[in-house]
């Protein structure tokens, strides 16, 4: 503040210069929701590519039977780190980036509620990522206990395990702060007249997701802290020889882990529920039922955790309960799929890239949902537990679900973020390449699993060779598709390209369509009516 003058204009200008630092400082001290959203998106994309490299190393080893490149111990480190990086480094921060960018815009807020905490919650992530990545370099290497970090394996590992635990604590703290911010922003900062039941679906799905995160992140922190004290402070929570119970770890972990998988899909549901109405030129079918279905999924997600544990010697009564509770989740999920299809039904649809990814999402996510329903059936699951069928199932939900929705959201909102239109042809190439190579990679894994190939193995019997070769070829194709996305879509769109119009999707394919006049809170992406 200048001390030599009382000229308010001058003072304001002086402050203004300090409020908007340039270069690296702009990002380091960012308190603007858009800058922080951008930081999250770049961080998650870098982590996506890193986790992708780990996955391609896994698929390289599995191209042929026998040990080609990696010892089993290192192979298991790859599978563990691939899982941790993708879940905590790629998918979750990407959705938080979308929340930061879009929620204030969609509810008419000036920014997020706690701007500096927003900055802090992002900057916890890079140190956590570095901790995870450098755990490969300590004695014994990264943890090889699987991304679930099951005891007793996790209590025997080297210092890489401690680094993973610390990284997850940091990421969990980041998630909790981000969630508090999202909840307070949505509940306290909506524009006048925007009631909860008038909010865009993306805000609803994130509000519910944020409550889930606050509920389950401390549970994960508890599980890994008990692991830490077992490792270093002489406790025996999970040591059966000293009266502990290794299966208790699984109960605690999956009480976090199951809501976690819904944390990674609910924001995707929100993005798809924004995109379909825009390109069908219709209102979302059954808005209220979509809100209630999302809330139902979130509540039910807390009572199904032990379907991950059918092979741990659970009483039959418990098996029955968890089987039926898991099947029950198919009901609200089915409601959502029905409403999406009804939204498209007889709409004046055009298929720009966001719509392609949204429709692709429904197709592949539904396959993942059906395989989940199959795995919910206890006697089937006992046969398929820890086989590649499970790997196929959750990649259909997480890659074809969460990731495809993230791509859809990027193509849909990037004109708003960058001011430029992406190249439509390049977007469509990215979509078709991703969809085809994804299915080539993961569909054969259903057959591998049904035939009995266990997951997390560096070697396998000769009869699994062909499908593994197909999967590995598909995986490299999928990886290359994302490199293509970076160089031919993201970078050209940021650098320039056609200027985006104020309402980039209004004139799509030359159709004349307008927003109905009596609705004052239509943000640019609220579905306009087809005339």
């Amino acid at each position: 503040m200048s001390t030599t003058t009382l000229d308010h204009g001058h003072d304001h200008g002086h402050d203004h210069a300090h409020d908007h630092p340039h270069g690296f400082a702009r990002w380091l001290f960012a308190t603007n929701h858009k800058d922080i959203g951008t930081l999250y998106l770049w961080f998650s994309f870098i982590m996506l590519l890193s986790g992708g490299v780990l996955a391609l190393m896994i698929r390289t080893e599995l191209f042929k039977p026998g040990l080609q490149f990696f010892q089993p111990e290192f192979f298991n480190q790859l599978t563990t780190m691939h899982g941790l990086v993708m879940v905590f480094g790629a998918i979750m921060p990407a959705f938080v980036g979308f929340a930061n960018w879009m929620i204030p815009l969609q509810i008419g807020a000036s920014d997020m509620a706690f701007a500096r905490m927003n900055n802090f919650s992002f900057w916890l992530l890079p140190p956590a990522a570095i901790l995870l990545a450098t755990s490969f370099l300590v004695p014994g290497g990264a943890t090889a206990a699987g991304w679930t970090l099951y005891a007793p394996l996790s209590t025997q590992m080297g210092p890489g395990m401690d680094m993973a635990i610390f990284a997850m604590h940091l990421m969990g703290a980041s998630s909790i702060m981000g969630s508090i911010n999202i909840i307070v922003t949505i509940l306290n900062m909506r524009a006048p007249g925007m009631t909860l039941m008038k909010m865009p679906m993306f805000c609803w799905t994130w509000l519910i997701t944020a409550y889930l995160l606050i509920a389950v992140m401390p549970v994960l922190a508890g599980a890994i802290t008990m692991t830490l004290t077992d490792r270093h402070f002489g406790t025996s929570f999970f040591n059966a020889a000293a009266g502990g119970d290794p299966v208790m770890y699984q109960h605690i972990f999956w009480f976090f882990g199951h809501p976690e998988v819904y944390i990674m899909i609910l924001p995707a549901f929100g993005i798809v529920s924004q995109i379909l109405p825009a390109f069908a030129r219709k209102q979302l079918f059954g808005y209220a039922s979509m809100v209630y279905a999302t809330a139902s999924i979130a509540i039910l997600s807390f009572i199904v955790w032990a379907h991950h544990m059918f092979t741990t010697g659970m009483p039959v009564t418990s098996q029955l309960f968890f089987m039926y509770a898991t099947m029950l989740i198919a009901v609200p999920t089915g409601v959502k799929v029905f409403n999406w299809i009804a939204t498209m039904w007889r709409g004046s649809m055009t298929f720009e890239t966001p719509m392609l990814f949204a429709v692709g999402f429904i197709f592949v996510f539904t396959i993942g949902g059906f395989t989940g329903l199959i795995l919910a059936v206890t006697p089937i699951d006992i046969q398929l537990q820890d086989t590649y069928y499970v790997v196929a199932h959750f990649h259909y939900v997480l890659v074809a679900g969460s990731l495809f929705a993230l791509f859809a959201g990027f193509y849909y909102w990037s004109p708003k973020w960058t001011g430029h239109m992406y190249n439509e042809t390049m977007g469509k190439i990215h979509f078709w390449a991703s969809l085809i190579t994804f299915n080539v990679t993961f569909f054969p894994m259903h057959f591998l699993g049904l035939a009995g190939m266990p997951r997390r193995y560096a070697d396998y019997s000769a009869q699994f060779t062909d499908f593994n070769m197909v999967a590995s070829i598909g995986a490299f194709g999928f990886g290359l598709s994302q490199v293509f996305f970076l160089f031919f879509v993201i970078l050209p769109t940021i650098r320039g390209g056609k200027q985006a119009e104020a309402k980039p999707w209004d004139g799509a394919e030359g159709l004349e369509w307008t927003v109905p006049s009596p609705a004052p809170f239509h943000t640019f992406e609220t579905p306009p009516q087809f005339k």
Side-chain angles (χ1 to χ4, degrees), residues 19-35:
D19 285 347
H20 298 284
H22 295 289
F24 183 65
R26 168 188 166 183
W27 301 103
L28 185 60
F29 302 118
T31 50
N32 169 309
H33 72 98
K34 298 173 183 176
D35 280 355

Side-chain angles (χ1 to χ4, degrees), residues 192-224:
M194 176 170 278
T195 61
L196 285 176
M197 290 308 278
K198 283 182 183 166
M199 288 197 307
M201 273 307 297
F202 181 66
C203 298
W204 258 117
T205 54
W206 245 117
L207 179 64
I208 291 166
T209 302
Y211 276 111
L212 277 182
L213 273 164
I214 289 175
V216 302
M217 272 308 180
V219 179
L220 173 68
I224 58 181

Side-chain angles (χ1 to χ4, degrees), residues 33-51:
H33 72 98
K34 298 173 183 176
D35 280 355
I36 292 172
T38 303
L39 284 168
Y40 268 108
L41 290 169
W42 272 115
F43 172 81
S44 62
F45 192 71
I46 291 164
M47 293 298 274
L48 179 81
L49 296 180
S50 319

Side-chain angles (χ1 to χ4, degrees), residues 7 69 97 139 204 226 231 258-259 357 367 371 376 413 421 423 425 462 508 521 528:
D7 171 16
F69 301 99
W204 258 117
M226 287 150 92
R231 289 167 59 78
H258 203 81
F357 268 109
I367 295 176
T371 56
W413 283 317
M421 287 304 288
N423 181 319
T425 310
F521 290 115

Side-chain angles (χ1 to χ4, degrees), residues 272-287:
V272 170
S273 301
Q274 302 286 130
I275 293 173
L276 292 175
F279 292 93
R281 280 84 178 160
K282 282 173 63 192
Q283 293 289 350
L284 181 69
F285 181 92
Y287 173 90

Side-chain angles (χ1 to χ4, degrees), residues 424-442:
E424 188 64 58
T425 310
M426 295 300 157
K428 287 186 165 138
I429 292 171
H430 175 226
F431 168 72
W432 287 110
S434 295
L435 183 75
I436 292 165
T437 55
F438 168 79
N439 280 289
V440 169
T441 306
F442 291 106

